[in-house]
Amino acid sequence: MTQQGAVLQGYNNELVKCIEDLCMQKEELNKQIQQAEEEKNKLQHEIHVLSEQLECVCENLMQKVASRNELDKILAETEAAYMKILDSSRTLLHVLKKEVGSLRHSPDLKTN
């Protein structure tokens, strides 16, 4: 009977050792889970911050593009008006030269 008790005690010791090993594995796994959860939370926070920054940049970009488009429109209108002024100036100069030329040939302006 003593021998059976010793065998049973051996089994018990092995069982206790296995249970202790499993508990240590569980503790290690719990640490890894906690670290993974902390990393996940950190990344989610960074994603949130970056999403807000992206939204601000996108809004700012849309405003700048709208401003540029408005400036393009104003510039095109201004250039068109300036071209009309140049064309009118050229026409006026041509008419003035023609009038001055015909005045020079007028007998009333000739000096003797």
Side-chain angles (χ1 to χ4, degrees):
M1 189 72 142
T2 310
Q3 188 176 356
Q4 290 175 337
V7 170
L8 184 59
Q9 184 64 35
Y11 291 155
N12 186 48
N13 290 342
E14 261 189 78
L15 185 58
V16 168
K17 171 98 170 93
C18 286
I19 291 172
E20 287 174 351
D21 288 346
L22 288 174
C23 286
M24 288 174 54
Q25 287 178 4
K26 178 183 172 189
E27 284 179 31
E28 180 60 32
L29 194 54
N30 279 338
K31 287 179 188 177
Q32 292 174 2
I33 289 170
Q34 183 179 3
Q35 289 173 346
E37 287 176 345
E38 289 172 0
E39 181 68 16
K40 179 188 116 189
N41 291 336
K42 177 184 167 193
L43 291 172
Q44 284 179 329
H45 176 71
E46 289 175 10
I47 288 170
H48 178 72
V49 168
L50 289 173
S51 294
E52 287 179 354
Q53 289 176 350
L54 178 63
E55 186 178 332
C56 289
V57 168
C58 287
E59 288 176 15
N60 188 291
L61 178 62
M62 286 181 5
Q63 291 173 352
K64 288 182 181 194
V65 167
S67 294
R68 184 194 60 197
N69 291 343
E70 186 63 27
L71 287 174
D72 284 344
K73 179 182 170 189
I74 291 169
L75 184 58
E77 291 171 355
T78 302
E79 287 176 344
Y82 183 70
M83 293 306 291
K84 287 181 181 179
I85 291 170
L86 285 177
D87 190 46
S88 295
S89 296
R90 183 176 39 247
T91 302
L92 178 60
L93 181 61
H94 178 72
V95 168
L96 184 60
K97 285 182 178 180
K98 186 176 179 181
E99 290 295 321
V100 168
S102 58
L103 283 177
R104 285 188 185 146
H105 293 77
S106 170
D108 294 339
L109 291 180
K110 289 187 179 178
T111 56
N112 291 337

